[in-house]
Amino acid sequence: MKQLVIAEKPSVGRDIARVLGCQKKGDGYLEGKDYVVTWGLGHLVELQNPEDYHKKYKEWKDEDLPIMPQELKTMVIPQTGHQYRVVKGLIWRKDVEKIVIATDAGREGELVARWILKQAENRKPCLRLWISSVTDKAIREGFSHLRDAREYDSLYAAAVSRAEADWLVGINATRALTCRYNAQLSCGRVQTPTLAMIAAREEAIRNFKPQPYYTLQAVTEQVTFRWKDRRSGSGRISSRERAQQIQEKVEGGELTVVSVNRKKKKTAAPLLYDLTELQREADRRYGYSAKETLNLMQSLYEKHKVLTYPRTDSRYLTPDLTGTLKERLDACRVGPYKAMASRLMTGSFSGRLKFVDASKVSDHHAIIPTEEPPILMQMTAGERRIYDLVVRRFFAVMLPDFEYEETVLEAEAGGELFTASGRTVLAPGWKEVYTEIGEDREESQEDEEAKVQNLPRLEKGVKLKVRSVKVLEGRTKPPARFRESTLLSAMENPVNYMESGDKAKAKTLIQTGGLGTVATRADIIEKLFSSFLLEKKGQEIYTTSKARQLLTLVPEDLKKPELTADWETRLLEISRGKMKRERFMKEIRDYTEELLREIRTQEGSFRHENMTNKKCPQCGKRLLAVNGKNAKLLVCQDRNCGYRETVSRTSNARCPVCHKRMELYGNGDQASFTCSCGYKEKLSKFKERRQKEGAGVTKKDVARYLAKQKKEEQEPLNNAFAAALQGICLEDLPKGGRS
């Protein structure tokens, strides 16, 4: 008799199969003497749609709300139906006596497996594999300590409670808003607070009143000093008159050095990447969206197999991985990484390593290279960049600290205090890894000057002739607008946007990872763009008129991070067996009805402020002009129609005058590029010019691009919207879940 092992993803399934000696390939599974290993594709099963309970729910009507089936049922996801049938067939095989659940060690991983088993009506005993990494050693140890799956029943109860609660609240609140205001309005436990955070930042920017300030710079032959207030330590002066008085007092005189403070300092390498930090870094360096980075990581993980599991929120490794470090370094000995990897391989990994801590690893360890040597020539430019970030960070944590000597000089003139600081590198340490691409951190003006100023060896009492004193004027700046990297940070730690100030809830939000998960945040942001609630100008994110109106119509609770904190507190109690799932679901049903009453009775209206005079060719209603993430479109105002057409799309073609990206208008022979600087060029002329320059766009490239554009035009507007509402959950999980 055999045991059937169900993994969450094909890649993990293949790793487990290799360790268990399962070499015989089947359709969607691998088989050996004692085990059969199969897998999901993330979620294979999800909650049914409203129309699956009754055909009347196909039409959105307020009188049909609330939609509250006594029991929420599951269904097979059509796109992954084939793999589900494979798994079900293996579950019912007569030579399979036990099931081993080997999905991710966490709440969502438990849900993936349990829903499959429930849908397949499994009656066989189940065991649970609980491991935080998929190294050979971890898999072997995990299988030698399999546990009864019933020990995780409470975790499953919490997982299914979260999914059902999101369904009930999400379906009903979204339909109520949409029916009340006859517009495509959706809300969610994660997406709505995220939208509210962006709106709050915009409000702070609008209300910000810049204040002028002044700084003083005293230049000597050897050193440039800055004025410093003796009491506050600030270098800013609020009054121009005061600044000019100090200038007159010091100009033409001498600065006497009153103190010389030299300190040797060390800076450790930054931690390894989790997905959120990698997404932030890719946005800062290359302007990649969170979704782009995740897709590139997924390709490097699944296709090239050169990086470990991407959807992780851990920045440390487990001790069992230390034995594989040299093998991973050996795999990295290619191209620009060869010399550094070879050098690091001579080191020892037997002692205590700062980046190894099992207590700080949750479901998966940090993102690092695998033991698979990369073939760099087969990677796209984007894949190379992401791989480069991960490899350099992997090298950096193995190198010594960056060591430097920081010197701070204090000098006096006319009773006023001036300071100058500089830095001398003693040992480059981990920063040696970044010499080729430079450091990418935001530094203040003072940091920059401290870094570049090379201070002479001066001693206390030395007098320096003042050559000039400059009064520099500045203005206080408003908070920066969100870009994807900073929005990810805010979602990860939304405590600053809590109105209640409740410390217990704040602690819960931090412990549970904030709004969304590392696996879902990119999709949440994309959904806000595809629903035309957000738009981009350069790399900065703006709310649309639709979003601002939506936030005035959505019940207050759904805009607050506290809702997630409340739910997570109770879900944690369910997972620990301290609270009954039935009690939580009763509260959720009551809360759903309360939300509906609030939506139905509140005063408010929704008005399309982007109406055009062009009529929809399908229903005759006027079209709306909207800005997609990378395109300008005309869409039908009727949510049941769904017509849309692309007006223009931001291309990768650069303007020959100002070198900005140009927009492509029209189709076929009539297509033309337009730049914000005023430059215009027909597509045919553009191709001719590029061919002459030796970097022509081929006919195949253009045909592929225009075919893609045409296909997108034919798709209904509410594709993403409809997909979001089919089995919607307020955490806005993609169908793959934490895959």
Side-chain angles (χ1 to χ4, degrees):
M1 300 296 283
K2 297 182 178 183
Q3 293 185 7
L4 174 65
V5 181
I6 303 176
E8 189 162 329
K9 296 273 289 184
S11 54
V12 177
R14 285 190 286 268
D15 286 336
I16 293 173
R18 178 174 46 77
V19 173
L20 297 178
C22 301
Q23 298 179 344
K24 181 183 175 183
K25 291 185 178 180
D27 180 12
Y29 68 93
L30 292 162
E31 188 167 356
K33 180 183 176 183
D34 301 313
Y35 295 94
V36 180
V37 180
T38 189
W39 45 79
L41 302 169
H43 280 282
L44 299 180
V45 175
E46 65 183 359
L47 291 173
Q48 287 186 1
N49 299 314
E51 54 267 31
D52 296 319
Y53 293 94
H54 197 291
K55 61 182 180 181
K56 69 178 181 179
Y57 294 138
K58 279 190 175 182
E59 290 188 47
W60 290 27
K61 296 179 180 178
D62 185 69
E63 56 264 32
D64 291 334
L65 302 178
I67 301 172
M68 284 194 188
Q70 192 63 35
E71 177 190 356
L72 291 181
K73 300 176 183 179
T74 56
M75 58 178 275
V76 178
I77 299 173
Q79 295 92 325
T80 56
H82 175 74
Q83 184 61 22
Y84 166 77
R85 290 187 288 274
V86 169
V87 177
K88 181 180 179 180
L90 294 171
I91 290 172
W92 282 92
R93 254 175 55 169
K94 292 183 178 180
D95 61 339
V96 170
E97 62 173 347
K98 290 182 181 179
I99 312 293
V100 177
I101 297 173
T103 47
D104 290 350
R107 192 171 72 190
E108 287 306 311
E110 197 68 24
L111 190 64
V112 168
R114 297 293 190 110
W115 269 356
I116 293 172
L117 295 170
K118 178 186 175 184
Q119 188 74 21
E121 299 179 342
N122 172 62
R123 297 185 181 89
K124 296 176 181 178
C126 295
L127 301 171
R128 186 57 158 108
L129 174 72
W130 194 269
I131 55 177
S132 59
S133 64
V134 288
T135 62
D136 291 8
K137 182 181 178 182
I139 293 170
R140 290 192 190 97
E141 288 184 355
F143 270 90
S144 66
H145 298 90
L146 292 174
R147 303 172 72 171
D148 191 320
R150 288 174 293 187
E151 294 180 30
Y152 298 89
D153 283 352
S154 294
L155 184 66
Y156 167 61
V160 75
S161 297
R162 194 278 310 153
E164 291 184 0
D166 281 335
W167 192 97
L168 288 168
V169 174
I171 289 289
N172 286 288
T174 295
R175 288 197 174 204
L177 279 170
T178 301
C179 293
R180 173 80 192 274
Y181 300 106
N182 191 30
Q184 296 175 359
L185 301 176
S186 64
C187 57
R189 177 169 58 89
V190 174
Q191 71 174 34
T192 309
T194 300
L195 200 61
M197 289 193 300
I198 300 169
R201 177 65 61 87
E202 290 182 335
E203 182 70 15
I205 293 170
R206 278 194 299 272
N207 294 334
F208 183 82
K209 295 180 180 178
Q211 300 294 326
Y213 67 88
Y214 306 90
T215 59
L216 278 167
Q217 193 179 76
V219 181
T220 69
E221 189 173 343
Q222 296 171 293
V223 184
T224 297
F225 289 86
R226 283 183 169 269
W227 178 85
K228 180 179 178 181
D229 186 271
R230 289 182 184 274
R231 290 183 179 180
S232 66
S234 170
R236 293 184 177 183
I237 305 168
S238 58
S239 164
R240 177 186 286 274
E241 290 73 21
R242 166 78 171 133
Q244 289 174 339
Q245 287 172 6
I246 298 173
Q247 180 186 32
E248 292 170 3
K249 193 189 301 185
V250 176
E251 204 159 27
E254 288 183 330
L255 279 167
T256 302
V257 177
V258 294
S259 75
V260 180
N261 189 0
R262 295 187 181 95
K263 282 186 180 179
K264 290 184 179 179
K265 294 186 176 182
K266 293 181 179 181
T267 304
L271 295 173
L272 294 166
Y273 286 119
D274 63 5
L275 178 59
T276 302
E277 180 59 23
L278 183 61
Q279 288 170 323
R280 282 194 287 255
E281 187 80 355
D283 176 41
R284 285 194 294 263
R285 285 189 187 276
Y286 308 118
Y288 291 165
S289 70
K291 186 67 174 177
E292 280 179 292
T293 301
L294 178 56
N295 289 341
L296 291 168
M297 265 299 304
Q298 208 67 39
S299 176
L300 291 164
Y301 169 64
E302 293 180 353
K303 178 184 173 183
H304 298 284
K305 305 184 189 305
V306 294
L307 294 183
T308 55
Y309 185 75
R311 297 171 189 248
T312 176
D313 58 1
S314 300
R315 301 187 67 182
Y316 289 85
L317 304 181
T318 49
D320 60 299
L321 287 170
T322 55
T324 71
L325 294 179
K326 287 196 175 181
E327 194 175 348
R328 294 171 193 272
L329 286 169
D330 188 40
C332 294
R333 289 201 297 170
V334 296
Y337 317 112
K338 188 172 184 179
M340 181 62 73
S342 299
R343 174 181 147 193
L344 290 170
M345 285 183 67
T346 62
S348 172
F349 302 108
S350 56
R352 184 178 178 277
L353 301 172
K354 291 180 287 187
F355 55 91
V356 176
D357 189 339
S359 67
K360 294 181 179 178
V361 176
S362 53
D363 297 348
H364 301 278
H365 60 73
I367 300 168
I368 58 173
T370 64
E371 299 93 333
E372 186 79 21
I375 304 175
L376 301 178
M377 293 295 292
Q378 292 183 1
M379 294 182 189
T380 64
E383 289 167 348
R384 278 280 289 110
R385 284 174 166 175
I386 299 301
Y387 180 75
D388 182 78
L389 288 176
V390 175
V391 171
R392 289 179 187 269
R393 182 64 63 89
F394 181 58
F395 289 171
V397 297
M398 299 185 195
L399 287 168
D401 293 347
F402 167 62
E403 298 182 28
Y404 60 96
E405 183 181 72
E406 187 174 76
T407 303
V408 178
L409 301 177
E410 289 190 342
E412 290 182 345
E416 300 293 339
L417 182 64
F418 288 80
T419 65
S421 58
R423 177 182 293 180
T424 302
V425 176
L426 302 177
W430 60 268
K431 291 203 174 188
E432 193 176 345
V433 174
Y434 294 95
T435 52
E436 292 179 22
I437 57 176
E439 293 179 69
D440 188 29
R441 62 188 186 94
E442 296 177 4
E443 298 176 344
S444 67
Q445 188 176 351
E446 290 82 3
D447 288 337
E448 283 291 335
E449 291 187 0
K451 190 169 75 171
V452 300
Q453 188 168 198
N454 189 13
L455 296 180
R457 301 292 291 190
L458 299 175
E459 300 301 331
K460 184 178 179 181
V462 171
K463 296 184 182 297
L464 303 169
K465 178 68 176 175
V466 178
R467 298 172 64 181
S468 66
V469 181
K470 300 176 183 176
V471 175
L472 306 175
E473 182 177 354
R475 295 180 76 81
T476 54
K477 295 180 180 180
R481 287 190 178 274
F482 279 117
R483 52 185 292 162
E484 290 206 29
S485 57
T486 52
L487 181 57
L488 286 168
S489 299
M491 293 174 73
E492 188 176 41
N493 186 14
V495 173
N496 292 336
Y497 295 88
M498 291 176 58
E499 294 179 4
S500 64
D502 189 311
K503 292 183 179 179
K505 291 180 180 179
K507 184 178 179 181
T508 300
L509 272 177
I510 293 170
Q511 290 176 339
T512 55
L515 296 173
T517 67
V518 290
T520 62
R521 289 185 192 117
D523 292 281
I524 291 161
I525 294 171
E526 287 297 310
K527 186 176 294 181
L528 291 171
F529 279 112
S530 64
S531 301
F532 308 120
L533 295 169
L534 295 180
E535 60 186 13
K536 263 189 176 181
K537 296 178 182 177
Q539 292 300 318
E540 294 182 330
I541 296 173
Y542 291 73
T543 58
T544 62
S545 169
K546 178 181 179 181
R548 293 188 290 275
Q549 291 186 79
L550 172 64
L551 288 172
T552 66
L553 305 175
V554 171
E556 284 297 314
D557 259 10
L558 289 179
K559 294 188 283 187
K560 298 176 181 178
E562 284 90 335
L563 180 63
T564 291
D566 286 338
W567 285 24
E568 287 296 341
T569 299
R570 287 180 282 174
L571 291 171
L572 188 61
E573 289 180 351
I574 294 172
S575 69
R576 292 173 175 172
K578 295 180 179 179
M579 181 179 180
K580 292 289 185 183
R581 157 174 149 71
E582 291 75 18
R583 175 185 161 192
F584 174 72
M585 293 310 302
K586 170 68 168 57
E587 292 174 357
I588 290 298
R589 288 173 182 266
D590 292 342
Y591 176 65
T592 301
E593 292 189 348
E594 182 184 325
L595 284 177
L596 292 182
R597 283 194 296 272
E598 186 175 342
I599 292 171
R600 285 165 172 161
T601 57
Q602 70 183 0
E603 293 182 4
S605 61
F606 183 88
R607 182 168 62 90
H608 292 296
E609 296 181 357
N610 51 346
M611 195 89 70
T612 69
N613 289 322
K614 188 172 181 179
K615 292 188 176 181
C616 174
Q618 293 180 183
C619 69
K621 294 180 181 178
R622 287 163 67 186
L623 296 174
L624 306 174
V626 297
N627 292 324
K629 190 174 183 182
N630 296 302
K632 293 179 180 178
L633 307 100
L634 291 174
V635 302
C636 185
Q637 61 178 291
D638 190 333
R639 60 186 173 84
N640 293 317
C641 175
Y643 174 80
R644 76 172 179 181
E645 64 179 79
T646 302
V647 176
S648 69
R649 184 176 298 276
T650 303
S651 71
N652 288 323
R654 298 282 178 173
C655 172
V657 178
C658 68
H659 305 294
K660 292 180 181 178
R661 288 183 178 182
M662 297 189 291
E663 290 194 17
L664 180 63
Y665 288 79
N667 296 305
D669 296 334
Q670 302 302 314
S672 63
F673 290 104
T674 299
C675 181
S676 57
C677 73
Y679 177 81
K680 294 182 180 180
E681 184 177 33
K682 285 190 175 181
L683 178 61
S684 57
K685 294 292 183 182
F686 169 80
K687 289 189 288 183
E688 290 177 14
R689 176 170 62 82
R690 295 296 286 154
Q691 286 171 347
K692 289 178 182 178
E693 293 171 356
V697 177
T698 65
K699 289 183 179 179
K700 189 176 180 181
D701 291 334
V702 176
R704 188 187 297 118
Y705 180 86
L706 294 177
K708 180 182 176 183
Q709 188 182 55
K710 186 176 181 180
K711 181 182 177 182
E712 288 175 350
E713 287 176 357
Q714 293 171 349
E715 291 176 352
L717 167 67
N718 58 348
N719 252 12
F721 183 72
L725 297 179
Q726 287 184 7
I728 190 173
C729 69
L730 287 176
E731 192 175 343
D732 306 299
L733 286 170
K735 288 181 178 177
R738 279 195 66 164
S739 55

